[in-house]
Amino acid sequence: MWRLKVSDGGRDDPWLTSVNNHVGRQFWEFDPNLGTPEERAQVEKARREFNNNRFRSKHSSDMLMRLQFAKEKACDQMELPTQVRVKSEEEITEEVIGLSVTGALDAILPNEHQTEICRYLYNHQNKDGGWGLHIEGPSTMFCTALSYVSLRLLGEEMDGGDGAMETARIWILDRGGVTNIPSWGKMWLSVS
């Protein structure tokens, strides 16, 4: 089961560096022995509900975090966390390609992390089979091609994802193929 942790600055990880030793950094940690059977069932129910409603409500409402905090605070109502504004977007697809090219994918991302990245990508795939620049954006060749390639680099089969990989491939092919990706996409694909 996943647990959200807040760093107290004690991380000694050669792959991650920061000027403040990661104090206050939030990260998800996987522990296969964490949680009771009831809590695990509650997490799976939240995942199923999000997956079933992903086209009506694109965001997850941080349900896993809310379940954890409710347990820790032993209350039913949770205060909303302070909104964080991101100043620039980073695509996880670029990081996956970089890790794959350097041969560090399995060393940096254990199987549980890879599974969650795949789940995230599948849950944010648009109805037409493509992916947009953000979770509510229309499908673009750039995002669809990089998401598709990322899933393949993460070990997904060509026909995996309960048909999601096939619909993504069809989306790409129906629009002339991946050669129609913008120049930055061509750069990332050239190294993968």
Side-chain angles (χ1 to χ4, degrees), residues 66-86:
R66 291 172 185 273
L67 291 172
Q68 176 185 330
F69 285 177
K71 176 185 171 198
E72 290 174 0
K73 291 185 177 185
C75 66
D76 292 329
Q77 276 298 349
M78 298 235 2
E79 292 181 29
L80 290 174
T82 306
Q83 184 177 13
V84 176
R85 297 222 179 254
V86 178

Side-chain angles (χ1 to χ4, degrees), residues 43-61:
V43 167
E44 285 306 313
K45 180 182 177 202
R47 284 179 172 159
R48 273 192 314 277
E49 287 178 5
F50 175 75
N51 185 277
N52 292 337
N53 296 306
R54 68 186 185 274
F55 295 121
R56 273 180 280 166
S57 178
K58 293 278 193 172
H59 57 83
S60 66
S61 300

Side-chain angles (χ1 to χ4, degrees), residues 115-152:
T115 299
E116 291 304 320
I117 291 170
C118 291
R119 185 190 325 269
Y120 176 87
L121 289 172
Y122 284 138
N123 282 336
H124 293 293
Q125 185 176 23
N126 291 331
K127 285 183 183 181
D128 63 6
W131 282 269
L133 191 55
H134 54 84
I135 62 174
E136 294 183 9
S139 298
T140 66
M141 182 62 75
F142 180 77
C143 296
T144 301
L146 291 182
S147 293
Y148 180 86
V149 169
S150 294
L151 286 164
R152 295 287 284 136

Side-chain angles (χ1 to χ4, degrees), residues 2-181:
W2 290 94
R3 166 183 38 211
L4 182 65
K5 297 188 79 174
V6 179
S7 177
D8 58 6
R11 288 186 63 89
D12 185 25
D13 190 333
W15 294 98
L16 298 172
T17 60
S18 80
V19 294
N20 71 348
N21 201 18
H22 305 291
V23 173
R25 178 178 182 261
Q26 297 177 342
F27 61 97
W28 287 94
E29 178 178 81
F30 183 79
D31 182 350
N33 301 314
L34 186 66
T36 65
E38 293 82 18
E39 290 168 340
R40 290 180 184 181
Q42 192 177 21
V43 167
E44 285 306 313
K45 180 182 177 202
R47 284 179 172 159
R48 273 192 314 277
E49 287 178 5
F50 175 75
N51 185 277
N52 292 337
N53 296 306
R54 68 186 185 274
F55 295 121
R56 273 180 280 166
S57 178
K58 293 278 193 172
H59 57 83
S60 66
S61 300
D62 297 319
M63 285 308 297
L64 296 181
M65 179 193 70
R66 291 172 185 273
L67 291 172
Q68 176 185 330
F69 285 177
K71 176 185 171 198
E72 290 174 0
K73 291 185 177 185
C75 66
D76 292 329
Q77 276 298 349
M78 298 235 2
E79 292 181 29
L80 290 174
T82 306
Q83 184 177 13
V84 176
R85 297 222 179 254
V86 178
K87 293 182 180 157
S88 66
E89 293 184 8
E90 285 186 25
E91 292 291 323
I92 197 161
T93 53
E94 296 166 354
E95 293 160 358
V96 170
I97 291 173
L99 291 173
S100 176
V101 168
T102 60
L105 183 65
D106 291 331
I108 301 299
L109 295 174
N111 285 338
E112 293 82 11
H113 285 84
Q114 293 180 35
T115 299
E116 291 304 320
I117 291 170
C118 291
R119 185 190 325 269
Y120 176 87
L121 289 172
Y122 284 138
N123 282 336
H124 293 293
Q125 185 176 23
N126 291 331
K127 285 183 183 181
D128 63 6
W131 282 269
L133 191 55
H134 54 84
I135 62 174
E136 294 183 9
S139 298
T140 66
M141 182 62 75
F142 180 77
C143 296
T144 301
L146 291 182
S147 293
Y148 180 86
V149 169
S150 294
L151 286 164
R152 295 287 284 136
L153 291 173
L154 288 166
E156 291 298 299
E157 298 293 327
M158 279 184 64
D159 298 321
D162 294 326
M165 295 295 284
E166 181 180 6
T167 58
R169 196 168 47 257
I170 291 169
W171 191 96
I172 292 168
L173 294 172
D174 284 351
R175 286 153 184 84
V178 72
T179 55
N180 289 322
I181 196 169

